[in-house]
Amino acid sequence: MRRNRDRVGWPAPRAGQLTDSDTRYALPSNAPGYNFHAQLTGRWEETPAARQHHDPRAAAAHHALERARAVTGLYPLTEHHTAQAHINSQLGTSHDLADAPVRLLWARVQLTVDSADIEAVVCLQRRRHDEALNEQANRQRQHQAEELHRSLSTTPTLALAYWLIHQPQATDRNTIEALSQLTREITAYAPHTAWVQVAHLLQTFVQDLDMPARMNLVDSLAQIFTRYDQPQRANQLRSIATQMQSANGNSPNSSQRSGSDGGSGSYRSNTVKRPVPE
């Protein structure tokens, strides 16, 4: 006579809750060193498997926190409500864990932050914003300087205009009219970089200036040479200016000179006396 065996089926799956109001988990924000504080609630259950997990509750909690950690790292502490809504939208449906016979039925995360951490993060955000603005302004100034350098290198009239803008006190009506004439001549005879014709026109332009205007122009050109890393040429210009002053001070404009004339000891003036009208 055959004996009937007692057939033992699969044990009833275990289930439980994730609620633990006494535990707060630290979740990172997008600012290193500043964390959210999270409280976790939810439900879990086992799924049929040949080998059961020793601690299915811990597996479910770890899965939920890892999903939450991937989200909080995208947000600053000042947006903890937005980060919380993002997390709970992902944990509101059931998930089967890939590495354990456990199903997370649902979970909810409540995020809180410390007020001191929020103040520190606000200061950090403001500093980063100011640094970004300063960097942008520096790039803009560098770009403008490069554009000005290229323009002054290829267009000599622009260099003179730049001089006039930064030294308006050194100009008068005659200087402006002479520069306008020079601009027209350069445009007609020496477009772009025909420097030989430009040099000739500059020489003609300088001849029409009085000595103070010449000295001011030479000093301004010396400053431009220094700006383009040519201090030696700037010193040569200033040396020439000194010679110009010396020559101007000793120019033969007087009607009498002292000294000898071949032993005669006198110098006869070439001044012609005109009759005085009655």
Side-chain angles (χ1 to χ4, degrees):
M1 181 178 177
R2 297 180 59 185
R3 300 179 58 182
N4 294 329
R5 291 184 178 179
D6 294 332
R7 297 181 178 179
V8 180
W10 292 101
R14 292 175 293 178
Q17 297 183 355
L18 296 177
T19 305
D20 188 358
S21 58
D22 296 333
T23 303
R24 293 203 311 170
Y25 303 94
L27 299 178
S29 66
N30 68 342
Y34 296 96
N35 298 324
F36 296 96
H37 302 292
Q39 288 182 328
L40 180 64
T41 58
R43 290 190 61 85
W44 58 271
E45 69 177 9
E46 286 184 315
T47 56
R51 293 184 178 180
Q52 293 180 329
H53 194 280
H54 176 71
D55 193 348
R57 182 185 181 280
H62 175 73
H63 175 78
L65 292 173
E66 286 298 305
R67 297 287 296 270
R69 182 174 288 106
V71 173
T72 58
L74 305 175
Y75 291 90
L77 292 185
T78 53
E79 299 182 14
H80 60 281
H81 293 297
T82 305
Q84 178 177 296
H86 189 174
I87 295 170
N88 294 331
S89 67
Q90 295 185 0
L91 298 179
T93 58
S94 62
H95 294 82
D96 288 344
L97 277 61
D99 54 351
V102 179
R103 178 180 295 119
L104 179 64
L105 298 177
W106 63 270
R108 184 179 185 277
V109 171
Q110 182 177 359
L111 295 179
T112 57
V113 293
D114 294 336
S115 58
D117 289 345
I118 289 183
E119 293 178 0
V121 167
V122 169
C123 293
L124 178 62
Q125 290 175 334
R126 185 179 297 113
R127 184 167 61 251
R128 288 178 176 175
H129 178 70
D130 293 340
E131 290 175 354
L133 290 179
N134 291 335
E135 184 178 357
Q136 181 180 2
N138 290 335
R139 287 198 302 267
Q140 184 176 2
R141 284 194 293 267
Q142 181 179 358
H143 177 72
Q144 291 174 349
E146 292 174 353
E147 289 294 329
L148 178 61
H149 179 270
R150 283 192 291 268
S151 299
L152 294 178
S153 300
T154 57
T155 309
T157 55
L158 184 59
L160 295 175
Y162 187 79
W163 167 64
L164 288 177
I165 291 174
H166 288 78
Q167 297 186 8
Q169 72 281 358
T171 61
D172 54 17
R173 181 177 297 276
N174 294 331
T175 305
I176 296 176
E177 291 178 355
L179 285 176
S180 299
Q181 178 63 26
L182 176 64
T183 301
R184 289 191 294 269
E185 293 180 359
I186 288 178
T187 303
Y189 295 102
H192 304 298
T193 56
W195 291 104
V196 176
Q197 293 90 338
V198 170
H200 175 71
L201 293 173
L202 286 174
Q203 182 179 7
T204 305
F205 163 67
V206 172
Q207 289 176 353
D208 296 333
L209 298 178
D210 56 11
M211 183 53 61
R214 292 185 186 182
M215 296 302 301
N216 188 274
L217 179 59
V218 169
D219 184 69
S220 299
L221 291 175
Q223 294 179 9
I224 293 176
F225 285 0
T226 302
R227 189 178 302 118
Y228 290 125
D229 298 330
Q230 295 290 332
Q232 295 180 352
R233 296 184 184 275
N235 293 333
Q236 291 176 359
L237 270 178
R238 293 189 175 94
S239 176
I240 293 174
T242 303
Q243 297 175 12
M244 289 169 55
Q245 284 183 324
S246 176
N248 183 66
N250 298 327
S251 58
N253 293 329
S254 60
S255 59
Q256 294 183 352
R257 296 174 58 183
S258 61
S260 61
D261 186 10
S264 61
S266 64
Y267 175 82
R268 184 168 296 177
S269 173
N270 293 327
T271 304
V272 179
K273 296 184 179 180
R274 297 180 181 179
V276 179
E278 295 178 356

